[in-house]
Amino acid sequence: MASTKDYRLLCLENPLLDIQAVGDQALLDKYGLKANDAILAEEKHQGLFEDLLNNYDAKLIAGGAAQNTARGAQYILSPNSVVYLGGVGDDKYAAILHDAVKQAGLRVEYRVDAKEKTGRCGVVITGHNRSLCTELGAANHYDLEHLKKPEIWSLVENAEVFYIGGYHFTVCPPAIMELCKQAASANKPLILSLSAPFIPQFFKDPLDASAPYWDYVIGNEAEAEAYASSHDLGITDLKEIAKALANLPKANTQRKRVAIITHGTEPTLVAVQGEDEVKEFPVHELSKELLNDTNGAGDAFAGGFASGIVEGRSLAESIDRGQWLARLSIQELGPS
């Protein structure tokens, strides 16, 4: 029987305010963006945020992948089930985030940085693609000191499931490792999202340091392929990549690792450590005319999946929840 205590799921990553608009190829070309990608902003991208606000009727949406996941999980779970950690500034953008998460019933414990602006993510929608360009701002200054504050660490000790968004590998790997070790020592499940192809490509060392602690690892086809390529696995077949991820060395041997690869409208692939068969879970069909926006679909999948793990549901039921919430999300604008 699942426990009924509060804040059973604890999530860590980078809170951002999404500045989201429907754009065109000219806008992508102007800032050197790919139609379907996620990158960190460089100098050449600085004008994008104001451009979206001033010229493209942008909407401001509470974002940051794991914050979206946390909101999704809270949507399904009983009230006061999810707490989220990350860093924000002391500004109007942080106030907008606070309002948005309050409406979702999500508890946040932000590290507030008076010197840095709240992080922003420019989201350019073209057709069914989304290009994400992130300026981390205050989210980039999250630190171990905040995690180890007694009032925050007590939330860590209380939590029954941990969710770490891979984008946090660019920010504070020591905080990730503390949560990893806490999960393993207490035999509590830890879910990790690969988040974007650039994480396994350019943040390979901190990612690999955390790998023995993953009980569940989630990635889409592009992230899985980037992992295989950056780790010289010599394979491109998604089922084989899923098996490779599932069978990496593991710290907590009381739990078999599960690797999950989502693939848009193709079946979700699931590999379990030590098992030869890779299971396929067909996605919930949605007619094209109902498809509004794929931004946040992966975050929603992770939220639905995490809610199942928190409630002690079966792997198949947790996958089903993930697909159900992703299907709901892509019918809305932004990670709703």
Side-chain angles (χ1 to χ4, degrees), residues 218-223 238 260-264 266-269 298 301:
I218 303 173
N220 64 22
E221 75 282 7
E223 293 149 15
L238 291 176
I260 300 159
I261 298 177
T262 61
H263 193 189
E266 298 295 314
T268 302
L269 303 177
F301 174 87

Side-chain angles (χ1 to χ4, degrees), residues 46 184 285:
Q46 287 306 310
E285 280 188 38

Side-chain angles (χ1 to χ4, degrees), residues 161-183:
V161 179
F162 300 100
Y163 178 88
I164 296 171
Y167 288 118
H168 203 72
F169 284 108
T170 73
V171 174
C172 188
I176 292 174
M177 292 308 295
E178 281 297 314
L179 292 183
C180 284
K181 288 169 184 169
Q182 175 69 13

Side-chain angles (χ1 to χ4, degrees), residues 218-231:
I218 303 173
N220 64 22
E221 75 282 7
E223 293 149 15
E225 286 160 1
Y227 182 94
S229 171
S230 66
H231 289 74

Side-chain angles (χ1 to χ4, degrees), residues 85 101 128 145 151 200 216 266 273:
L85 311 178
V101 296
H128 292 155
E145 190 182 347
E151 64 271 28
Y216 300 91
E266 298 295 314
Q273 189 173 23

Side-chain angles (χ1 to χ4, degrees), residues 130-152:
R130 90 289 181 265
S131 190
L132 311 178
C133 183
T134 298
E135 182 180 69
L136 284 169
N140 204 30
H141 294 267
Y142 190 82
D143 56 22
L144 194 54
E145 190 182 347
H146 182 266
L147 183 68
K148 282 307 192 76
K149 281 184 171 177
E151 64 271 28
I152 305 298

Side-chain angles (χ1 to χ4, degrees), residues 85-261:
L85 311 178
V88 298
D90 186 5
D91 53 22
K92 64 177 182 183
Y93 288 149
I96 294 170
L97 281 185
H98 269 291
D99 286 346
V101 296
K102 192 174 177 185
Q103 284 173 17
L106 175 65
R107 177 176 175 179
V108 293
E109 292 294 341
Y110 292 142
R111 176 191 179 274
V112 179
D113 193 314
K115 298 191 196 106
E116 300 288 337
K117 284 192 226 165
T118 296
R120 305 178 289 177
C121 179
V123 183
V124 181
I125 308 288
T126 52
H128 292 155
N129 291 320
R130 90 289 181 265
S131 190
L132 311 178
C133 183
T134 298
E135 182 180 69
L136 284 169
N140 204 30
H141 294 267
Y142 190 82
D143 56 22
L144 194 54
E145 190 182 347
H146 182 266
L147 183 68
K148 282 307 192 76
K149 281 184 171 177
E151 64 271 28
I152 305 298
W153 192 251
S154 66
L155 290 167
V156 173
E157 290 178 325
N158 170 75
E160 293 173 359
V161 179
F162 300 100
Y163 178 88
I164 296 171
Y167 288 118
H168 203 72
F169 284 108
T170 73
V171 174
C172 188
I176 292 174
M177 292 308 295
E178 281 297 314
L179 292 183
C180 284
K181 288 169 184 169
Q182 175 69 13
S185 65
N187 189 28
K188 293 175 177 179
L190 182 129
I191 306 166
L192 181 114
S193 169
L194 293 174
S195 295
F198 79 84
I199 298 297
Q201 286 166 336
F202 304 116
F203 294 87
K204 182 172 174 282
D205 290 347
L207 180 70
D208 290 352
S210 75
Y213 299 94
W214 307 340
D215 294 303
Y216 300 91
V217 55
I218 303 173
N220 64 22
E221 75 282 7
E223 293 149 15
E225 286 160 1
Y227 182 94
S229 171
S230 66
H231 289 74
D232 299 320
L233 298 185
I235 48 177
T236 53
D237 180 77
L238 291 176
K239 284 188 173 181
E240 292 303 314
I241 298 171
K243 277 165 71 171
L245 286 166
N247 288 292
L248 292 169
K250 196 157 185 307
N252 178 12
T253 54
Q254 294 177 73
R255 297 177 182 276
K256 289 182 175 181
R257 183 185 294 105
V258 178
I260 300 159
I261 298 177

